[in-house]
Amino acid sequence: MHYQGRLRKMPTRHAAEVEYELRLTDPAQPESRVALNPLLGQHLSLKFSGEIHCIHCERKTTKSFNQGYCYPCFKKLAQCDSCIIQPQKCHYHLGTCREPAWGEAHCFQPHLVYLANTSGLKVGITRKTQMPTRWMDQGAVTALPLFEVPDRLSSGQVETLLAQTLKDKTAWQAMLKNQVPDLDLQAEASQVMADYQQKLEDCTATPVKQLDSQPWFFNYPVLNYPARVKSLNPEKTPDIQGQLLGIKGQYLLLDIGVINLRKFAGYVVDFHCS
């Protein structure tokens, strides 16, 4: 099995076991998608050519920014602005959005504020249309939508409020080692409501709709979790070869280390499996 192309984020599908595909693109030919779950236990080879192409404009670049963009796109695109990471700092209302049409299409859509168990309890936000993809990309074992709000700014305001006592980041090494506590997200949600009910009413100018949701559960295709996490970087080790022991989040777990494929989107790679 041999494929070549530019890496993209691994597509996922929620099933009894999360299903993953390797996605490679090339403007000169149809994109390649390789089902990865059946390759567990097999030897993989990822040989990076050193060539990088922006995932937005496709231009060749010597360095990747923000998981796959060239520097001009990183500086001009709304999807690369700092308010995407910190939505409570949205500046659309000031007339300074980099791409107002993009903001209207993506940020002025229903968003969810959720609890997830990735390496412990965390709060997060996502567009409603990204449920449950967002949680699989994070490597969550369970997730529970708490609130729905009409736009991204409001979701950031609610998240910032809850982050006063809840974590909003994943300890990625613990997530990959499967060092994840057993949590009852419905009980945790009840506690959040008890702690923040009054403050929630005042934290945003738009309505905050409390959701009566059931938890989502995720089981990942992993034969063995690593006891020690060694991160692989194709810029330092362009020829990465090893046995595929698992997939979680956007990481391949190999017997020689782990690699975050989303981080290297746009990199040209030769993929072999034997």
Coordinates of all heavy atoms in Angstrom, one line a residue, residues 76-137:
K76 N -3.7 37.2 7.3 CA -4.8 37.8 6.7 C -6.2 37.1 7.0 O -7.2 37.7 6.9 CB -4.6 38.1 5.3 CG -4.8 36.8 4.4 CD -4.6 37.2 2.9 CE -4.7 35.9 2.0 NZ -4.5 36.2 0.6
L77 N -6.1 35.8 7.2 CA -7.4 35.1 7.3 C -8.1 35.2 8.7 O -7.4 35.1 9.7 CB -7.1 33.6 7.0 CG -6.7 33.2 5.6 CD1 -6.4 31.7 5.5 CD2 -7.7 33.7 4.5
A78 N -9.4 35.3 8.7 CA -10.1 35.4 9.9 C -10.0 34.1 10.7 O -9.9 34.1 12.0 CB -11.6 35.7 9.6
Q79 N -9.9 33.0 10.0 CA -9.8 31.7 10.7 C -8.4 31.5 11.4 O -8.3 30.6 12.2 CB -10.0 30.6 9.8 CG -9.0 30.5 8.6 CD -9.6 29.7 7.4 OE1 -9.5 28.5 7.5 NE2 -10.1 30.3 6.4
C80 N -7.5 32.4 11.2 CA -6.2 32.4 11.9 C -6.0 33.5 12.9 O -5.0 33.6 13.5 CB -5.0 32.5 10.8 SG -5.0 31.1 9.7
D81 N -7.1 34.3 13.1 CA -7.0 35.4 14.0 C -7.0 34.9 15.5 O -7.4 33.8 15.7 CB -8.2 36.4 13.8 CG -7.9 37.8 14.3 OD1 -6.9 38.0 15.0 OD2 -8.6 38.7 13.9
S82 N -6.5 35.7 16.4 CA -6.3 35.3 17.8 C -7.7 35.1 18.4 O -7.8 34.3 19.4 CB -5.6 36.4 18.6 OG -6.2 37.6 18.5
C83 N -8.7 35.7 17.9 CA -10.1 35.5 18.5 C -10.6 34.1 18.2 O -11.6 33.8 18.9 CB -11.0 36.6 18.0 SG -11.2 36.7 16.2
I84 N -10.1 33.4 17.3 CA -10.5 32.0 17.1 C -10.1 31.2 18.3 O -10.8 30.3 18.8 CB -9.9 31.4 15.8 CG1 -10.4 32.2 14.6 CG2 -10.2 29.9 15.7 CD1 -11.9 32.2 14.5
I85 N -8.9 31.4 18.9 CA -8.4 30.8 20.1 C -9.1 31.4 21.3 O -9.4 30.7 22.3 CB -6.9 30.9 20.2 CG1 -6.2 30.2 19.0 CG2 -6.4 30.1 21.5 CD1 -6.5 28.8 18.8
Q86 N -9.3 32.7 21.3 CA -9.9 33.4 22.5 C -11.2 34.1 22.0 O -11.2 35.3 21.8 CB -8.9 34.3 23.1 CG -7.7 33.7 23.7 CD -6.7 34.7 24.2 OE1 -6.2 35.5 23.5 NE2 -6.5 34.6 25.5
P87 N -12.3 33.4 21.8 CA -13.5 33.9 21.1 C -14.1 35.1 21.9 O -14.8 35.9 21.4 CB -14.4 32.8 21.0 CG -13.9 31.8 22.0 CD -12.5 31.9 22.1
Q88 N -13.8 35.2 23.2 CA -14.3 36.3 24.0 C -13.7 37.6 23.6 O -14.2 38.7 23.9 CB -14.1 36.0 25.5 CG -12.6 36.1 26.0 CD -11.8 34.8 25.7 OE1 -12.3 34.0 25.0 NE2 -10.7 34.8 26.4
K89 N -12.7 37.5 22.7 CA -12.0 38.8 22.2 C -12.5 39.1 20.8 O -11.9 39.9 20.1 CB -10.5 38.6 22.2 CG -9.9 38.5 23.7 CD -8.4 38.4 23.6 CE -7.9 38.3 25.0 NZ -6.4 38.2 25.0
C90 N -13.6 38.5 20.4 CA -14.2 38.8 19.1 C -14.3 40.3 18.9 O -14.8 41.0 19.7 CB -15.6 38.2 18.9 SG -16.5 38.6 17.4
H91 N -13.9 40.8 17.7 CA -13.9 42.3 17.4 C -14.7 42.6 16.2 O -14.6 43.7 15.6 CB -12.5 42.8 17.3 CG -11.6 42.0 16.4 ND1 -11.4 42.3 15.1 CD2 -10.8 40.9 16.6 CE1 -10.6 41.4 14.5 NE2 -10.2 40.5 15.4
Y92 N -15.6 41.7 15.8 CA -16.5 41.9 14.7 C -17.3 43.2 14.8 O -17.4 44.0 13.9 CB -17.4 40.8 14.5 CG -18.3 40.9 13.3 CD1 -18.0 40.4 12.0 CD2 -19.6 41.6 13.4 CE1 -18.9 40.6 11.0 CE2 -20.4 41.7 12.4 CZ -20.1 41.2 11.1 OH -21.0 41.4 10.1
H93 N -17.8 43.4 16.1 CA -18.6 44.6 16.3 C -17.9 45.9 16.2 O -18.5 47.0 16.1 CB -19.3 44.5 17.7 CG -18.3 44.5 18.8 ND1 -17.5 43.4 19.1 CD2 -17.9 45.4 19.7 CE1 -16.7 43.6 20.1 NE2 -16.9 44.8 20.5
L94 N -16.5 45.8 16.2 CA -15.7 47.0 16.1 C -15.4 47.4 14.6 O -14.8 48.4 14.3 CB -14.4 46.9 16.8 CG -14.5 46.6 18.3 CD1 -13.1 46.4 18.9 CD2 -15.1 47.8 19.0
G95 N -15.9 46.5 13.7 CA -15.6 46.7 12.3 C -14.2 46.3 11.9 O -13.8 46.7 10.8
T96 N -13.5 45.5 12.7 CA -12.2 45.1 12.4 C -12.0 43.7 12.1 O -10.8 43.2 12.0 CB -11.3 45.5 13.6 OG1 -11.8 44.9 14.8 CG2 -11.2 47.0 13.7
C97 N -13.0 42.9 11.8 CA -12.9 41.5 11.5 C -12.1 41.4 10.2 O -12.4 42.2 9.2 CB -14.3 40.9 11.3 SG -14.2 39.1 10.9
R98 N -11.2 40.5 10.1 CA -10.4 40.3 8.9 C -11.2 40.0 7.7 O -10.9 40.4 6.5 CB -9.3 39.2 9.1 CG -8.2 39.6 10.1 CD -7.3 38.4 10.3 NE -6.2 38.7 11.2 CZ -5.2 37.8 11.4 NH1 -5.2 36.6 10.8 NH2 -4.2 38.1 12.2
E99 N -12.2 39.2 7.8 CA -13.1 38.7 6.8 C -14.5 38.7 7.3 O -15.0 37.6 7.8 CB -12.7 37.3 6.3 CG -11.3 37.2 5.7 CD -11.0 35.8 5.3 OE1 -10.6 35.0 6.3 OE2 -11.1 35.4 4.1
P100 N -15.2 39.8 7.2 CA -16.6 39.8 7.8 C -17.5 38.7 7.2 O -18.3 38.1 8.0 CB -17.1 41.2 7.4 CG -15.9 42.0 7.2 CD -14.8 41.1 6.7
A101 N -17.4 38.4 6.0 CA -18.3 37.4 5.4 C -18.0 36.0 6.0 O -18.9 35.2 6.3 CB -18.1 37.3 3.9
W102 N -16.7 35.7 6.2 CA -16.3 34.5 6.9 C -16.8 34.4 8.3 O -17.3 33.4 8.8 CB -14.8 34.3 6.8 CG -14.3 32.9 7.3 CD1 -14.1 31.9 6.5 CD2 -14.1 32.5 8.7 NE1 -13.7 30.8 7.3 CE2 -13.7 31.2 8.6 CE3 -14.2 33.2 9.9 CZ2 -13.3 30.4 9.8 CZ3 -13.8 32.4 11.0 CH2 -13.4 31.1 11.0
G103 N -16.6 35.5 9.0 CA -17.1 35.6 10.4 C -18.6 35.4 10.5 O -19.1 34.7 11.4
E104 N -19.4 36.0 9.6 CA -20.8 35.8 9.6 C -21.2 34.4 9.3 O -22.2 33.8 9.9 CB -21.5 36.7 8.5 CG -21.4 38.2 8.9 CD -21.5 39.1 7.7 OE1 -21.8 38.6 6.6 OE2 -21.3 40.3 7.9
A105 N -20.5 33.7 8.5 CA -20.8 32.3 8.1 C -20.4 31.3 9.2 O -21.0 30.2 9.3 CB -20.1 31.9 6.8
H106 N -19.3 31.6 9.9 CA -18.8 30.7 10.9 C -19.0 31.0 12.4 O -19.2 30.2 13.2 CB -17.3 30.4 10.7 CG -17.0 29.8 9.4 ND1 -16.9 30.4 8.2 CD2 -16.7 28.5 9.1 CE1 -16.6 29.6 7.2 NE2 -16.5 28.4 7.7
C107 N -18.9 32.3 12.7 CA -19.0 32.8 14.1 C -20.4 33.1 14.5 O -20.7 33.0 15.7 CB -18.0 34.0 14.3 SG -16.3 33.6 13.9
F108 N -21.2 33.5 13.6 CA -22.6 33.9 13.9 C -23.5 32.7 13.6 O -24.5 32.7 12.9 CB -23.0 35.1 13.2 CG -22.4 36.3 13.7 CD1 -21.1 36.8 13.2 CD2 -22.9 37.1 14.7 CE1 -20.5 37.9 13.7 CE2 -22.3 38.2 15.2 CZ -21.1 38.6 14.7
Q109 N -23.1 31.5 14.2 CA -23.8 30.3 14.1 C -24.0 29.7 15.5 O -23.2 30.1 16.4 CB -23.1 29.3 13.2 CG -22.8 29.7 11.8 CD -24.1 29.8 11.0 OE1 -25.1 29.1 11.3 NE2 -24.2 30.8 10.1
P110 N -25.0 28.9 15.7 CA -25.1 28.3 17.1 C -23.9 27.6 17.6 O -23.2 26.8 16.8 CB -26.3 27.3 16.9 CG -27.1 27.8 15.7 CD -26.0 28.4 14.8
H111 N -23.5 27.9 18.8 CA -22.3 27.3 19.4 C -22.7 26.6 20.7 O -23.7 26.9 21.3 CB -21.2 28.3 19.7 CG -20.4 28.7 18.6 ND1 -20.9 29.3 17.4 CD2 -19.0 28.6 18.4 CE1 -19.9 29.5 16.6 NE2 -18.7 29.1 17.1
L112 N -21.9 25.5 21.0 CA -22.1 24.8 22.3 C -21.0 25.0 23.2 O -19.9 25.2 22.8 CB -22.2 23.3 22.0 CG -23.3 22.8 21.0 CD1 -23.1 21.3 20.7 CD2 -24.7 23.1 21.5
V113 N -21.4 25.1 24.5 CA -20.4 25.1 25.6 C -20.6 23.7 26.2 O -21.7 23.3 26.5 CB -20.7 26.2 26.6 CG1 -19.6 26.1 27.8 CG2 -20.7 27.6 26.0
Y114 N -19.5 23.0 26.4 CA -19.6 21.6 26.8 C -18.6 21.3 27.9 O -17.6 22.0 28.1 CB -19.3 20.7 25.6 CG -18.0 20.8 25.0 CD1 -16.8 20.1 25.5 CD2 -17.7 21.6 23.9 CE1 -15.6 20.3 25.0 CE2 -16.5 21.7 23.3 CZ -15.4 21.1 23.9 OH -14.2 21.2 23.3
L115 N -18.8 20.1 28.6 CA -17.9 19.5 29.5 C -17.3 18.3 28.7 O -18.1 17.6 28.0 CB -18.5 19.1 30.8 CG -19.0 20.2 31.7 CD1 -19.6 19.5 33.0 CD2 -18.0 21.2 32.1
A116 N -16.0 18.0 28.9 CA -15.4 16.8 28.3 C -14.4 16.2 29.3 O -13.9 17.0 30.1 CB -14.8 17.1 27.0
N117 N -14.2 15.0 29.1 CA -13.2 14.3 29.9 C -12.1 13.8 28.9 O -12.3 12.8 28.2 CB -13.8 13.1 30.7 CG -12.8 12.4 31.6 OD1 -11.7 12.9 31.8 ND2 -13.2 11.3 32.2
T118 N -11.0 14.6 28.9 CA -9.9 14.3 28.0 C -8.7 13.7 28.8 O -8.3 12.6 28.6 CB -9.5 15.5 27.2 OG1 -9.2 16.6 28.1 CG2 -10.6 15.9 26.2
S119 N -8.2 14.5 29.7 CA -7.2 14.1 30.7 C -7.7 14.5 32.0 O -7.0 14.7 33.0 CB -5.9 14.8 30.4 OG -6.0 16.2 30.3
G120 N -9.0 14.6 32.2 CA -9.7 15.1 33.3 C -10.8 16.1 32.9 O -11.0 16.3 31.6
L121 N -11.5 16.6 33.8 CA -12.7 17.5 33.4 C -12.2 18.8 32.8 O -11.3 19.4 33.3 CB -13.5 17.8 34.6 CG -14.8 18.6 34.4 CD1 -15.8 17.7 33.6 CD2 -15.4 19.0 35.7
K122 N -12.8 19.2 31.7 CA -12.5 20.5 31.0 C -13.8 21.0 30.4 O -14.7 20.3 30.2 CB -11.4 20.3 29.9 CG -11.9 19.6 28.7 CD -10.8 19.6 27.6 CE -10.5 20.9 27.0 NZ -11.6 21.5 26.1
V123 N -13.7 22.4 30.3 CA -14.8 23.1 29.6 C -14.3 23.5 28.2 O -13.1 23.8 28.0 CB -15.3 24.3 30.4 CG1 -14.2 25.3 30.6 CG2 -16.5 24.9 29.7
G124 N -15.2 23.5 27.2 CA -14.8 23.9 25.9 C -16.0 24.4 25.1 O -17.1 24.4 25.6
I125 N -15.7 24.9 23.9 CA -16.8 25.4 23.0 C -16.6 24.8 21.6 O -15.4 24.4 21.2 CB -16.8 26.9 22.9 CG1 -15.5 27.4 22.2 CG2 -16.9 27.5 24.3 CD1 -15.5 28.9 21.9
T126 N -17.6 24.7 20.8 CA -17.5 24.3 19.5 C -18.8 24.8 18.7 O -19.8 25.0 19.3 CB -17.4 22.8 19.3 OG1 -17.2 22.4 18.0 CG2 -18.6 22.1 19.8
R127 N -18.7 24.9 17.4 CA -19.9 25.2 16.6 C -20.8 23.9 16.7 O -20.3 22.8 16.8 CB -19.5 25.4 15.1 CG -19.0 26.8 14.8 CD -19.1 27.1 13.4 NE -18.7 26.1 12.5 CZ -17.4 26.0 12.1 NH1 -16.5 26.8 12.5 NH2 -17.1 25.0 11.2
K128 N -22.0 24.1 16.7 CA -23.0 23.0 16.9 C -22.8 22.0 15.8 O -22.9 20.8 16.0 CB -24.4 23.5 16.9 CG -25.4 22.5 17.3 CD -26.8 23.2 17.4 CE -27.9 22.2 17.8 NZ -29.2 22.8 18.0
T129 N -22.4 22.4 14.6 CA -22.2 21.5 13.5 C -21.0 20.7 13.6 O -20.8 19.7 12.9 CB -22.1 22.3 12.1 OG1 -21.1 23.3 12.2 CG2 -23.5 23.0 11.8
Q130 N -20.1 21.0 14.6 CA -18.8 20.3 14.8 C -19.0 19.2 15.8 O -18.0 18.5 16.2 CB -17.7 21.2 15.1 CG -17.2 22.1 14.0 CD -16.6 21.2 12.9 OE1 -17.2 20.9 11.9 NE2 -15.3 20.8 13.1
M131 N -20.2 19.0 16.3 CA -20.4 17.9 17.3 C -20.7 16.7 16.5 O -21.6 16.7 15.6 CB -21.6 18.3 18.2 CG -22.0 17.3 19.2 SD -23.5 17.8 20.1 CE -24.8 17.5 18.9
P132 N -20.1 15.5 16.8 CA -19.1 15.3 17.9 C -17.6 15.3 17.4 O -16.8 14.9 18.1 CB -19.5 13.9 18.3 CG -19.9 13.2 17.0 CD -20.5 14.3 16.2
T133 N -17.4 15.8 16.2 CA -16.0 15.8 15.6 C -15.0 16.4 16.5 O -13.9 15.9 16.7 CB -16.0 16.5 14.3 OG1 -16.9 15.8 13.4 CG2 -14.6 16.5 13.7
R134 N -15.4 17.6 17.1 CA -14.5 18.3 18.0 C -14.0 17.4 19.1 O -12.8 17.5 19.5 CB -15.2 19.5 18.6 CG -14.5 20.3 19.6 CD -13.3 21.0 19.0 NE -12.7 21.9 20.0 CZ -11.4 22.3 19.9 NH1 -10.6 22.0 18.9 NH2 -10.9 23.2 20.8
W135 N -14.9 16.6 19.7 CA -14.5 15.8 20.9 C -13.6 14.7 20.5 O -12.6 14.3 21.2 CB -15.8 15.3 21.6 CG -16.7 16.4 22.0 CD1 -16.3 17.6 22.4 CD2 -18.1 16.4 21.9 NE1 -17.4 18.4 22.7 CE2 -18.5 17.7 22.4 CE3 -19.1 15.5 21.6 CZ2 -19.9 18.0 22.5 CZ3 -20.4 15.8 21.7 CH2 -20.8 17.1 22.1
M136 N -13.8 14.1 19.3 CA -12.9 13.0 18.8 C -11.5 13.6 18.5 O -10.5 13.0 18.8 CB -13.5 12.3 17.6 CG -14.8 11.5 18.0 SD -15.5 10.6 16.6 CE -16.2 11.9 15.6
D137 N -11.5 14.8 17.9 CA -10.2 15.4 17.7 C -9.4 15.7 18.9 O -8.2 15.8 18.9 CB -10.4 16.7 16.9 CG -10.8 16.5 15.4 OD1 -10.7 15.4 14.9 OD2 -11.3 17.5 14.8

